[in-house]
Tab-separated table of all heavy atoms in Angstrom:
chain	number	residue	atom	x	y	z
A	1	GLY	N	87.833	69.338	32.451
A	1	GLY	CA	88.020	67.999	33.026
A	1	GLY	C	86.826	67.416	33.794
A	1	GLY	O	86.901	66.312	34.339
A	2	LEU	N	85.725	68.154	33.866
A	2	LEU	CA	84.537	67.572	34.487
A	2	LEU	C	83.853	66.613	33.440
A	2	LEU	O	83.923	66.851	32.265
A	2	LEU	CB	83.569	68.660	34.970
A	2	LEU	CG	83.944	69.327	36.337
A	2	LEU	CD1	85.064	70.355	36.161
A	2	LEU	CD2	82.752	69.888	37.000
A	3	THR	N	83.131	65.693	34.052
A	3	THR	CA	82.454	64.718	33.123
A	3	THR	C	80.947	64.879	33.366
A	3	THR	O	80.455	64.835	34.479
A	3	THR	CB	82.729	63.239	33.560
A	3	THR	OG1	84.268	63.125	33.469
A	3	THR	CG2	82.097	62.200	32.692
A	4	ARG	N	80.291	65.015	32.246
A	4	ARG	CA	78.799	65.107	32.234
A	4	ARG	C	78.191	63.838	32.636
A	4	ARG	O	78.555	62.806	32.084
A	4	ARG	CB	78.303	65.535	30.865
A	4	ARG	CG	76.891	65.981	30.719
A	4	ARG	CD	76.748	66.681	29.425
A	4	ARG	NE	75.368	66.815	29.074
A	4	ARG	CZ	74.881	67.420	28.011
A	4	ARG	NH1	75.807	68.045	27.184
A	4	ARG	NH2	73.665	67.530	27.784
A	5	GLU	N	77.173	63.859	33.577
A	5	GLU	CA	76.629	62.601	33.970
A	5	GLU	C	75.209	62.440	33.481
A	5	GLU	O	74.593	61.331	33.459
A	5	GLU	CB	76.561	62.618	35.609
A	5	GLU	CG	77.934	62.440	36.144
A	5	GLU	CD	77.899	62.196	37.665
A	5	GLU	OE1	77.164	62.897	38.323
A	5	GLU	OE2	78.681	61.344	38.146
A	6	THR	N	74.549	63.524	33.156
A	6	THR	CA	73.092	63.410	32.667
A	6	THR	C	72.899	64.370	31.547
A	6	THR	O	73.715	65.223	31.252
A	6	THR	CB	72.129	63.924	33.774
A	6	THR	OG1	72.297	65.237	34.023
A	6	THR	CG2	72.234	63.083	35.010
A	7	GLU	N	71.834	64.056	30.778
A	7	GLU	CA	71.370	65.078	29.771
A	7	GLU	C	70.797	66.251	30.538
A	7	GLU	O	70.476	66.182	31.709
A	7	GLU	CB	70.226	64.360	28.937
A	7	GLU	CG	70.757	63.205	28.064
A	7	GLU	CD	71.919	63.589	27.139
A	7	GLU	OE1	71.752	64.701	26.488
A	7	GLU	OE2	72.922	62.952	27.019
A	8	VAL	N	70.665	67.326	29.785
A	8	VAL	CA	70.097	68.593	30.373
A	8	VAL	C	68.630	68.207	30.664
A	8	VAL	O	67.882	67.654	29.787
A	8	VAL	CB	70.225	69.728	29.409
A	8	VAL	CG1	69.506	70.966	29.974
A	8	VAL	CG2	71.629	70.044	29.205
A	9	ARG	N	68.166	68.555	31.872
A	9	ARG	CA	66.775	68.397	32.199
A	9	ARG	C	66.203	69.863	32.335
A	9	ARG	O	66.856	70.737	32.813
A	9	ARG	CB	66.706	67.632	33.531
A	9	ARG	CG	67.121	66.273	33.495
A	9	ARG	CD	66.882	65.501	34.798
A	9	ARG	NE	67.260	66.215	35.984
A	9	ARG	CZ	68.276	66.029	36.844
A	9	ARG	NH1	69.048	65.048	36.530
A	9	ARG	NH2	68.463	66.669	37.881
A	10	HIS	N	64.866	69.903	31.868
A	10	HIS	CA	64.189	71.132	31.854
A	10	HIS	C	63.046	71.176	32.839
A	10	HIS	O	62.390	70.078	32.933
A	10	HIS	CB	63.700	71.420	30.472
A	10	HIS	CG	64.889	71.442	29.426
A	10	HIS	ND1	65.692	72.506	29.346
A	10	HIS	CD2	65.272	70.520	28.601
A	10	HIS	CE1	66.597	72.235	28.350
A	10	HIS	NE2	66.366	71.003	27.914
A	11	ALA	N	62.856	72.275	33.519
A	11	ALA	CA	61.701	72.351	34.449
A	11	ALA	C	61.108	73.803	34.357
A	11	ALA	O	61.717	74.696	33.727
A	11	ALA	CB	62.119	72.086	35.940
A	12	ALA	N	60.083	74.034	35.056
A	12	ALA	CA	59.496	75.426	35.048
A	12	ALA	C	60.432	76.446	35.515
A	12	ALA	O	60.474	77.601	35.105
A	12	ALA	CB	58.168	75.457	35.853
A	13	TRP	N	61.337	76.031	36.446
A	13	TRP	CA	62.288	77.052	37.058
A	13	TRP	C	63.476	77.274	36.217
A	13	TRP	O	64.299	78.218	36.445
A	13	TRP	CB	62.657	76.620	38.480
A	13	TRP	CG	63.050	75.172	38.603
A	13	TRP	CD1	62.283	74.156	39.004
A	13	TRP	CD2	64.365	74.716	38.319
A	13	TRP	NE1	62.994	73.000	38.888
A	13	TRP	CE2	64.259	73.285	38.562
A	13	TRP	CE3	65.565	75.206	37.965
A	13	TRP	CZ2	65.346	72.426	38.365
A	13	TRP	CZ3	66.638	74.356	37.777
A	13	TRP	CH2	66.504	72.952	37.992
A	14	GLY	N	63.810	76.348	35.308
A	14	GLY	CA	65.096	76.388	34.471
A	14	GLY	C	65.501	75.103	34.031
A	14	GLY	O	64.770	74.129	33.949
A	15	SER	N	66.805	74.968	33.670
A	15	SER	CA	67.445	73.785	33.183
A	15	SER	C	68.588	73.422	34.019
A	15	SER	O	69.317	74.284	34.596
A	15	SER	CB	67.867	73.989	31.722
A	15	SER	OG	66.750	74.370	30.913
A	16	ILE	N	68.980	72.118	34.143
A	16	ILE	CA	69.997	71.652	34.926
A	16	ILE	C	70.773	70.534	34.259
A	16	ILE	O	70.231	69.747	33.528
A	16	ILE	CB	69.426	71.204	36.322
A	16	ILE	CG1	70.561	70.831	37.287
A	16	ILE	CG2	68.397	70.065	36.182
A	16	ILE	CD1	70.124	70.480	38.701
A	17	ALA	N	72.073	70.466	34.454
A	17	ALA	CA	72.864	69.354	34.015
A	17	ALA	C	73.823	69.029	35.210
A	17	ALA	O	74.282	69.853	35.948
A	17	ALA	CB	73.755	69.758	32.872
A	18	THR	N	74.033	67.736	35.409
A	18	THR	CA	74.843	67.293	36.471
A	18	THR	C	76.223	66.782	35.888
A	18	THR	O	76.298	66.150	34.816
A	18	THR	CB	74.269	66.146	37.307
A	18	THR	OG1	73.959	65.063	36.528
A	18	THR	CG2	72.958	66.680	37.955
A	19	LEU	N	77.281	67.088	36.684
A	19	LEU	CA	78.653	66.614	36.266
A	19	LEU	C	79.342	66.091	37.563
A	19	LEU	O	78.922	66.300	38.641
A	19	LEU	CB	79.415	67.866	35.833
A	19	LEU	CG	78.829	68.642	34.650
A	19	LEU	CD1	78.294	69.895	35.126
A	19	LEU	CD2	79.829	68.781	33.575
A	20	ARG	N	80.533	65.389	37.313
A	20	ARG	CA	81.384	65.049	38.371
A	20	ARG	C	82.818	65.627	38.034
A	20	ARG	O	83.164	65.645	36.840
A	20	ARG	CB	81.462	63.567	38.524
A	20	ARG	CG	82.137	62.757	37.491
A	20	ARG	CD	82.222	61.309	37.802
A	20	ARG	NE	82.793	60.576	36.724
A	20	ARG	CZ	82.117	60.028	35.694
A	20	ARG	NH1	80.825	60.175	35.768
A	20	ARG	NH2	82.735	59.353	34.777
A	21	ASP	N	83.494	65.935	39.051
A	21	ASP	CA	84.804	66.513	38.776
A	21	ASP	C	85.828	65.323	38.923
A	21	ASP	O	85.518	64.233	39.273
A	21	ASP	CB	85.167	67.712	39.714
A	21	ASP	CG	85.291	67.324	41.152
A	21	ASP	OD1	85.553	66.117	41.535
A	21	ASP	OD2	85.122	68.156	42.016
A	22	PRO	N	87.193	65.600	38.645
A	22	PRO	CA	88.125	64.561	38.714
A	22	PRO	C	88.328	64.017	40.190
A	22	PRO	O	89.033	63.047	40.267
A	22	PRO	CB	89.408	65.159	38.202
A	22	PRO	CG	88.992	66.365	37.507
A	22	PRO	CD	87.680	66.834	38.094
A	23	PHE	N	87.755	64.610	41.081
A	23	PHE	CA	87.986	64.170	42.495
A	23	PHE	C	86.724	63.526	43.051
A	23	PHE	O	86.619	63.301	44.281
A	23	PHE	CB	88.368	65.400	43.328
A	23	PHE	CG	89.386	66.275	42.597
A	23	PHE	CD1	88.925	67.485	42.050
A	23	PHE	CD2	90.670	65.831	42.422
A	23	PHE	CE1	89.833	68.243	41.356
A	23	PHE	CE2	91.598	66.594	41.634
A	23	PHE	CZ	91.092	67.832	41.152
A	24	GLY	N	85.736	63.154	42.259
A	24	GLY	CA	84.537	62.456	42.670
A	24	GLY	C	83.449	63.374	43.196
A	24	GLY	O	82.371	62.817	43.576
A	25	HIS	N	83.620	64.645	43.219
A	25	HIS	CA	82.569	65.617	43.723
A	25	HIS	C	81.525	65.839	42.613
A	25	HIS	O	81.875	65.919	41.404
A	25	HIS	CB	83.170	66.905	44.118
A	25	HIS	CG	84.152	66.801	45.119
A	25	HIS	ND1	84.011	66.205	46.392
A	25	HIS	CD2	85.576	67.246	45.123
A	25	HIS	CE1	85.158	66.226	47.031
A	25	HIS	NE2	86.075	66.860	46.306
A	26	GLY	N	80.236	65.852	42.997
A	26	GLY	CA	79.174	66.181	42.125
A	26	GLY	C	78.973	67.721	42.031
A	26	GLY	O	79.130	68.496	43.029
A	27	TRP	N	78.675	68.169	40.787
A	27	TRP	CA	78.342	69.666	40.581
A	27	TRP	C	77.137	69.683	39.681
A	27	TRP	O	76.920	68.829	38.807
A	27	TRP	CB	79.473	70.270	39.796
A	27	TRP	CG	80.797	70.401	40.607
A	27	TRP	CD1	81.680	69.345	40.895
A	27	TRP	CD2	81.255	71.611	41.202
A	27	TRP	NE1	82.719	69.916	41.613
A	27	TRP	CE2	82.402	71.204	41.872
A	27	TRP	CE3	80.757	72.821	41.300
A	27	TRP	CZ2	83.179	72.080	42.584
A	27	TRP	CZ3	81.489	73.763	42.066
A	27	TRP	CH2	82.725	73.358	42.632
A	28	CYS	N	76.265	70.669	39.843
A	28	CYS	CA	75.116	70.933	39.009
A	28	CYS	C	75.329	72.319	38.353
A	28	CYS	O	75.696	73.270	39.033
A	28	CYS	CB	73.843	70.946	39.789
A	28	CYS	SG	73.473	69.387	40.519
A	29	LEU	N	75.075	72.392	37.090
A	29	LEU	CA	74.984	73.730	36.434
A	29	LEU	C	73.562	73.970	36.164
A	29	LEU	O	72.781	73.132	35.669
A	29	LEU	CB	75.757	73.563	35.098
A	29	LEU	CG	77.217	73.364	35.140
A	29	LEU	CD1	77.865	73.209	33.717
A	29	LEU	CD2	77.961	74.420	35.952
A	30	ILE	N	73.137	75.184	36.609
A	30	ILE	CA	71.684	75.541	36.527
A	30	ILE	C	71.540	76.846	35.752
A	30	ILE	O	72.281	77.830	36.069
A	30	ILE	CB	71.121	75.767	37.895
A	30	ILE	CG1	71.115	74.351	38.693
A	30	ILE	CG2	69.701	76.241	37.828
A	30	ILE	CD1	70.664	74.428	40.087
A	31	GLN	N	70.645	76.884	34.766
A	31	GLN	CA	70.356	78.023	34.111
A	31	GLN	C	68.871	78.313	34.460
A	31	GLN	O	67.991	77.602	34.066
A	31	GLN	CB	70.460	77.976	32.632
A	31	GLN	CG	70.092	79.252	31.863
A	31	GLN	CD	70.322	79.156	30.412
A	31	GLN	OE1	71.052	78.244	29.880
A	31	GLN	NE2	69.660	80.026	29.639
A	32	PHE	N	68.615	79.406	35.292
A	32	PHE	CA	67.219	79.736	35.712
A	32	PHE	C	66.462	80.382	34.560
A	32	PHE	O	67.026	81.169	33.812
A	32	PHE	CB	67.276	80.614	36.916
A	32	PHE	CG	67.766	79.832	38.147
A	32	PHE	CD1	68.961	80.053	38.768
A	32	PHE	CD2	66.873	78.972	38.789
A	32	PHE	CE1	69.286	79.464	39.939
A	32	PHE	CE2	67.250	78.273	39.970
A	32	PHE	CZ	68.511	78.524	40.490
A	33	THR	N	65.182	80.221	34.556
A	33	THR	CA	64.302	81.033	33.819
A	33	THR	C	64.226	82.403	34.428
A	33	THR	O	64.699	82.547	35.544
A	33	THR	CB	62.903	80.445	33.669
A	33	THR	OG1	62.367	80.322	34.959
A	33	THR	CG2	62.913	79.009	33.093
A	34	ASP	N	63.448	83.281	33.839
A	34	ASP	CA	63.301	84.603	34.481
A	34	ASP	C	62.592	84.486	35.856
A	34	ASP	O	62.944	85.230	36.761
A	34	ASP	CB	62.502	85.594	33.532
A	34	ASP	CG	63.293	86.009	32.361
A	34	ASP	OD1	64.582	85.941	32.433
A	34	ASP	OD2	62.715	86.471	31.375
A	35	ALA	N	61.643	83.563	35.929
A	35	ALA	CA	60.950	83.312	37.245
A	35	ALA	C	61.794	82.612	38.253
A	35	ALA	O	61.567	82.740	39.402
A	35	ALA	CB	59.639	82.679	36.990
A	36	GLY	N	62.709	81.753	37.742
A	36	GLY	CA	63.490	80.942	38.693
A	36	GLY	C	62.603	80.100	39.610
A	36	GLY	O	61.580	79.619	39.179
A	37	TYR	N	63.035	79.900	40.837
A	37	TYR	CA	62.281	79.120	41.786
A	37	TYR	C	60.852	79.676	42.020
A	37	TYR	O	59.979	78.984	42.462
A	37	TYR	CB	62.992	78.864	43.035
A	37	TYR	CG	64.160	77.973	42.950
A	37	TYR	CD1	65.373	78.201	43.682
A	37	TYR	CD2	64.155	76.824	42.101
A	37	TYR	CE1	66.490	77.361	43.611
A	37	TYR	CE2	65.241	75.890	42.040
A	37	TYR	CZ	66.353	76.192	42.805
A	37	TYR	OH	67.404	75.342	42.656
């Protein structure tokens, strides 16, 4: 039931996608690279 708000963005530390839940809250899903931050 979460809604995707952006395309997946890629950076040196990993990839991120943003979503919103049915209650208006924002959530980020992050997949880190081996190095991460």
